[in-house]
Amino acid sequence: MTKRHSRQHQRRARAPGHDGGYKLLYSHVAMVRDLVQHFLPGDWSDQLDLTSLEKCSGSYVSDDLRDRCDDLIWRVRWGPEWLYLYLLLEFQSTIDTWMAVRIQTYVGLLYQDLIRTGQLSAASQLPPVLPIVLYNGIKPWDAGRQLEALIAPGPAILRDYRPRQGYYLLDEIRIAEAGGLPERNLSAALFRLEASRTPAEVLGILTALVEWLHAPEETSLRRACT
């Protein structure tokens, strides 16, 4: 087995615990705030009231009683009308060809849950959803990011009925290797850790994190990083 394949095997072997660590980290508002502020496309995030970030329940039971779980969903107020924007984060350490299908399922279950629990009135519109896939694998992500691209061609009459669900990908190692990451940003530090190659690099990043998170109110996040 080559060194590259060995590293990939090791990463796959530790993926469940690794992803669990990610979910623990991104259960903290500071991690999500830094992600939204510096890693989303365009400048529309300036319209978000990041002080309103709120973690939502992420365990849904669909109408046909099949359990599905996506346990990191955040919402944030957006614009002067205080519309809700739901941030739905998926964590991947291996490439999933059918990720767009999974994302469509999660978004649909989220909408079902909002309707079933009475959070939307009959006159309401469904809130916009931004699905974010955080990928920490060694191989660059090459799966299709739009559901429509995964569907075989059909009769022209079906064109208007093809689902177009997509997701926003953050390929952490490639982002870190490209450089230019913001300083004193928790998500950026995590991305640098994923791309680090030497003990000295890791120590430098962890030392900076300890310094940033020394305040008593950051105890929980500091423990999560540890």
Side-chain angles (χ1 to χ4, degrees):
M1 182 180 291
T2 65
K3 288 185 178 180
R4 183 180 182 83
H5 288 164
S6 176
R7 289 176 66 193
Q8 289 175 326
H9 175 76
Q10 291 171 3
R11 184 174 291 272
R12 281 194 297 269
R14 68 189 175 98
H18 196 58
D19 290 351
Y22 264 65
K23 291 182 178 181
L24 179 61
L25 286 172
Y26 280 99
S27 292
H28 290 82
V29 67
M31 291 290 298
V32 179
R33 183 181 61 242
D34 281 4
L35 186 78
V36 170
Q37 282 183 317
H38 296 286
F39 292 100
L40 298 189
D43 57 3
W44 64 273
S45 60
D46 295 340
Q47 304 169 30
L48 302 177
D49 177 9
L50 296 179
T51 65
S52 69
L53 270 168
E54 178 182 302
K55 188 173 179 289
C56 305
S57 171
S59 183
Y60 304 100
V61 179
S62 62
D63 288 336
D64 60 4
L65 303 182
R66 289 179 302 178
D67 290 340
R68 301 293 180 108
C69 185
D70 172 58
D71 58 1
L72 275 173
I73 299 174
W74 291 76
R75 64 181 182 179
V76 59
R77 293 187 182 269
W78 173 56
E81 297 181 0
W82 295 96
L83 300 175
Y84 282 88
L85 174 68
Y86 280 76
L87 303 179
L88 195 149
L89 294 91
E90 263 295 316
F91 301 96
Q92 285 292 117
S93 55
T94 57
I95 298 172
D96 184 351
T97 301
W98 309 109
M99 175 56 70
V101 178
R102 291 178 54 199
I103 291 294
Q104 184 180 46
T105 299
Y106 292 150
V107 171
L109 290 173
L110 173 58
Y111 283 154
Q112 285 183 342
D113 185 73
L114 291 175
I115 295 167
R116 183 169 47 246
T117 55
Q119 297 184 52
L120 299 175
S121 68
S124 298
Q125 290 183 298
L126 295 169
V129 177
L130 173 63
I132 301 174
V133 173
L134 281 174
Y135 172 62
N136 52 21
I138 295 173
K139 181 182 177 183
W141 185 272
D142 57 6
R145 302 183 196 180
Q146 296 285 335
L147 179 54
E148 186 176 23
L150 303 177
I151 302 173
I157 194 174
L158 301 181
R159 186 175 299 121
D160 292 339
Y161 307 102
R162 296 168 68 89
R164 296 177 174 84
Q165 177 68 57
Y167 56 88
Y168 185 64
L169 176 74
L170 289 173
D171 190 335
E172 300 176 21
I173 293 180
R174 260 53 61 182
I175 291 173
E177 290 177 343
L181 292 179
E183 297 296 329
R184 296 190 68 87
N185 180 287
L186 296 169
S187 285
L190 178 62
F191 296 175
R192 290 191 184 99
L193 274 175
E194 289 287 4
S196 59
R197 292 183 171 85
T198 67
E201 287 179 303
V202 173
L203 182 60
I205 296 167
L206 293 179
T207 300
L209 280 172
V210 170
E211 178 186 345
W212 301 344
L213 301 175
H214 72 279
E217 62 269 22
E218 302 291 358
T219 299
S220 178
L221 180 53
R222 185 169 64 248
R223 288 175 178 169
C225 289
T226 303

